[in-house]
Amino acid sequence: MATPHVLGTEVEYGITITNDPGFNPVLASAAVVNAHAEGADRITWSYDAESPGSDARGFVVTQATVDETDSGLVNAVLHNGARLYVDHAHPEYSTPECGDPLEATLHDKAGELVMHRAATHASASLKGTQRMVLHKNNSDGKGNSYGAHENYLVPRSVPFGEIVQHMTAFLVSRQIVTGSGKVGSEHGRPEVPYQLTQRADFFEEEVGLETTLKRPIINTRDEPHADPAKYRRLHVIFGDATMSEVQTFIKLGSTSLMLLAVADGALGAPTRLSHPVDAVTAVSHDVTLHRTVDLLDGSRATALDLQWRYLTLLETYVASGDVPPVYKQVLTEWRGVLEDLPKGHAAVSDRLDWAAKLSLIEAYRTRDHLDWKHPKLRLLDLQYHAIDPARGLYHRLLAAGSMRRLFTDEEVAEAAILPPPSTRAWFRGECLRRYPDAVVAANWDSLVFDIGQPSLVRVPMMEPLRGTRALVEELLTASPDAAALINNLGGHDD
Amino acid sequence: MTEREQRSRARDTADETVHDAPRARGGDVAGKIDDLLDEIDSVLEENAEEFVKNYVQKGGE
């Protein structure tokens, strides 16, 4: 079987300040990043293109306007290997590179904790009744969307055309599993009281490079932040930010498995939609899950039918190969959700955000006799995603025992400060922790050290599966300072 | 009438409905939901209409 993917998420958080309608979101986002408690974490993000090529740029906002690029320089590299920064007018958290979907889910949750701590700190300098509120959501309900992207490192040898052919119908149909739910519709889409996803209304193309307008189902951005001859990074922009741990795990795990199976040619002929873009809203706008979409072979299928098709193929694929046990856990959770979905949303409201939110909204509608247009329902929608455990409604449901978890609070707190052991993020995070004064710049694929010599020393990390704890812990332990580390590295790539 | 008064009055009305309807269907589940909604009422942002109206984000990505 193909080597399991290095993967991670990047989430832009909605930001607002209570009782301050005129607040500046760019400055507020910068305040969140700057408030990040660990002062030593504020290492410069390196945009230095010493190694040429697009992948050396880090996450430079290539299409930003002038005022946005200024704030785009607000960056922190964290001891857990993550990146906290301002992108456009949102604080954004990129998880460190993770070795499997469970680890990536844990670090996606740790991102919420990092953001919450930073926002709490930033709130302290606000006036009286003002409070900074962050939401892990993707839309303001008024036609503005911001992203929750998933990144999967895929072998360069896999033809991109095959990824497009296999992944399009998978991504469109996975909305029933991955949506975080939304009251109403926007961006000129037909009116609905409630839909499965935050993002469906914003997709207008099948394949493309854009992320901010004419968004495509399959995004072609190709910055691997690794050896480009060996890897591409599939940048999945077609998804919602999810609060539920189980849901995030299924989202990342099923997508990761699909890509492994594509790389191994294990899926047979691709299932292809006749009208992928139309199918996006057709699926998202139907909470009954009964609506069918046209397939190119002339048949029709529901999103649930398609998800069963993919699950079955991947169960066979996993059974026939030597896959790490975590992927069997993915299949078990995914199957559980597909089996329960036909029983109605209440049957999956302990695992899927769209269903949990819908159950909550229905309970309010029953109690308070609220029309679907009532602003309180939009507030419930929004506040479901608030990351403050005291006020966020996902967190209230969690506290009431209504949501299933995969991690303890302690595990999430640990991931907010410690890097995953399975990738080069471990080297990045540990160098920052062990040699805080010597690391002067960092990005995904290199670290820059000042070891007191006339020139700075760059350590390239072009291979994400090197720099792991297993590979470099001994080396770091044997290096009391950065100069010793550089000496011990002997000028070689980790 | 202030926003807060409006809100608490709306909640009084709501409470009457809650205590009759779901309890009539019986069971701890309905009671648990009542308690949860009461708890959520206490953490919801003060003025739903105002908060939702002011919630405008810039596009991102």
Side-chain angles (χ1 to χ4, degrees), chain A residues 190-210:
Chain A
E191 275 194 35
V192 286
Y194 188 81
Q195 62 174 305
L196 302 178
T197 76
Q198 296 257 307
R199 294 270 284 166
D201 291 343
F202 298 96
F203 284 80
E204 300 172 79
E205 304 283 343
E206 290 180 37
V207 183
L209 186 58
E210 297 284 355

Side-chain angles (χ1 to χ4, degrees), chain A residues 12 15 90 131 137 140 142 144-147 149 199 211-212 215 364 367-369 382-383 391 396, chain B residues 14 17-18 33 36-41 43-45 48-49 51-53 55-61:
Chain A
E12 297 175 359
I15 183 165
H90 300 272
R131 200 161 29 85
N137 64 357
D140 65 359
K142 301 177 181 71
N144 302 307
S145 187
Y146 31 102
H149 300 169
R199 294 270 284 166
T211 59
T212 55
R215 293 179 181 86
Y364 262 89
R367 191 192 72 173
D368 296 354
H369 309 289
L382 249 180
Q383 206 166 328
R391 286 177 171 264
R396 299 330 305 155
Chain B
T17 351
V18 176
I33 292 172
L36 179 63
L37 296 195
D38 286 347
E39 191 212 308
I40 287 177
D41 281 336
V43 298
L44 274 181
E45 296 292 346
E49 193 165 2
F51 192 88
V52 167
K53 195 184 85 188
Y55 193 80
V56 180
Q57 299 290 305
K58 291 203 172 177
E61 309 177 55

Side-chain angles (χ1 to χ4, degrees), chain A residues 116-423:
Chain A
H116 173 58
R117 286 175 175 165
T120 304
H121 201 260
S123 276
S125 57
L126 296 174
K127 281 181 273 182
T129 59
Q130 295 179 346
R131 200 161 29 85
M132 198 167 291
V133 183
L134 296 192
H135 294 94
K136 191 188 185 192
N137 64 357
N138 303 105
S139 153
D140 65 359
K142 301 177 181 71
N144 302 307
S145 187
Y146 31 102
H149 300 169
E150 304 149 50
N151 295 295
Y152 304 89
L153 204 66
V154 179
R156 178 67 66 183
S157 57
V158 181
F160 192 67
E162 286 202 19
I163 293 176
V164 174
Q165 290 204 359
H166 284 286
M167 295 305 286
T168 304
F170 170 77
L171 291 173
V172 171
S173 61
R174 81 170 189 170
Q175 293 182 99
I176 63 172
V177 177
T178 61
S180 63
K182 182 168 76 178
V183 172
S185 60
E186 56 197 316
H187 200 58
R189 297 295 190 256
E191 275 194 35
V192 286
Y194 188 81
Q195 62 174 305
L196 302 178
T197 76
Q198 296 257 307
R199 294 270 284 166
D201 291 343
F202 298 96
F203 284 80
E204 300 172 79
E205 304 283 343
E206 290 180 37
V207 183
L209 186 58
E210 297 284 355
T211 59
T212 55
L213 44 100
K214 298 260 176 209
R215 293 179 181 86
I217 299 167
I218 304 277
N219 184 243
T220 55
R221 181 186 296 180
D222 187 8
E223 290 174 301
H225 302 301
D227 180 356
K230 199 172 169 190
Y231 297 111
R232 80 163 61 246
R233 171 172 62 114
L234 186 66
H235 184 234
V236 175
I237 69 168
F238 186 79
D240 286 357
T242 39
M243 303 296 293
S244 161
E245 294 174 2
V246 176
Q247 184 174 21
T248 304
F249 178 56
I250 300 173
K251 174 176 73 177
L252 299 175
S254 62
T255 308
S256 208
L257 265 177
M258 276 295 293
L259 290 166
L260 286 172
V262 171
D264 279 342
L267 292 174
T271 296
R272 305 195 51 193
L273 299 166
S274 300
H275 309 288
V277 176
D278 294 342
V280 170
T281 41
V283 171
S284 182
H285 286 195
D286 172 34
V287 292
T288 71
L289 313 186
H290 290 145
R291 192 173 294 165
T292 57
V293 292
D294 291 327
L295 303 183
L296 265 190
D297 67 6
S299 64
R300 299 181 66 80
T302 64
L304 187 57
D305 294 334
L306 294 175
Q307 282 288 292
W308 271 116
R309 190 179 296 190
Y310 291 117
L311 174 68
T312 313
L313 281 167
L314 292 173
E315 283 177 338
T316 307
Y317 170 68
V318 166
S320 66
D322 182 22
V323 301
V326 67
Y327 290 96
K328 290 174 185 155
Q329 194 184 342
V330 169
L331 294 173
T332 304
E333 292 290 358
W334 188 9
R335 170 173 274 278
V337 163
L338 297 191
E339 283 174 350
D340 288 341
L341 274 170
K343 300 171 193 163
H345 67 267
V348 289
S349 61
D350 60 337
R351 284 157 286 169
L352 303 187
D353 288 332
W354 73 259
K357 191 189 285 180
L358 182 55
S359 293
L360 183 62
I361 286 173
E362 290 289 12
Y364 262 89
R365 276 169 41 77
T366 304
R367 191 192 72 173
D368 296 354
H369 309 289
L370 302 176
D371 179 76
W372 272 106
K373 295 275 185 205
H374 198 284
K376 196 165 191 178
L377 303 191
R378 284 204 181 270
L379 179 61
L380 290 167
D381 179 350
L382 249 180
Q383 206 166 328
Y384 181 88
H385 300 270
I387 59 170
D388 179 350
R391 286 177 171 264
L393 304 190
Y394 161 79
H395 285 281
R396 299 330 305 155
L397 292 174
L398 191 71
S402 301
M403 303 295 299
R404 265 192 52 211
R405 296 194 73 172
L406 297 174
F407 312 111
T408 62
D409 286 344
E410 291 71 27
E411 287 171 316
V412 175
E414 192 168 278
I417 51 171
L418 295 180
S422 53
T423 70

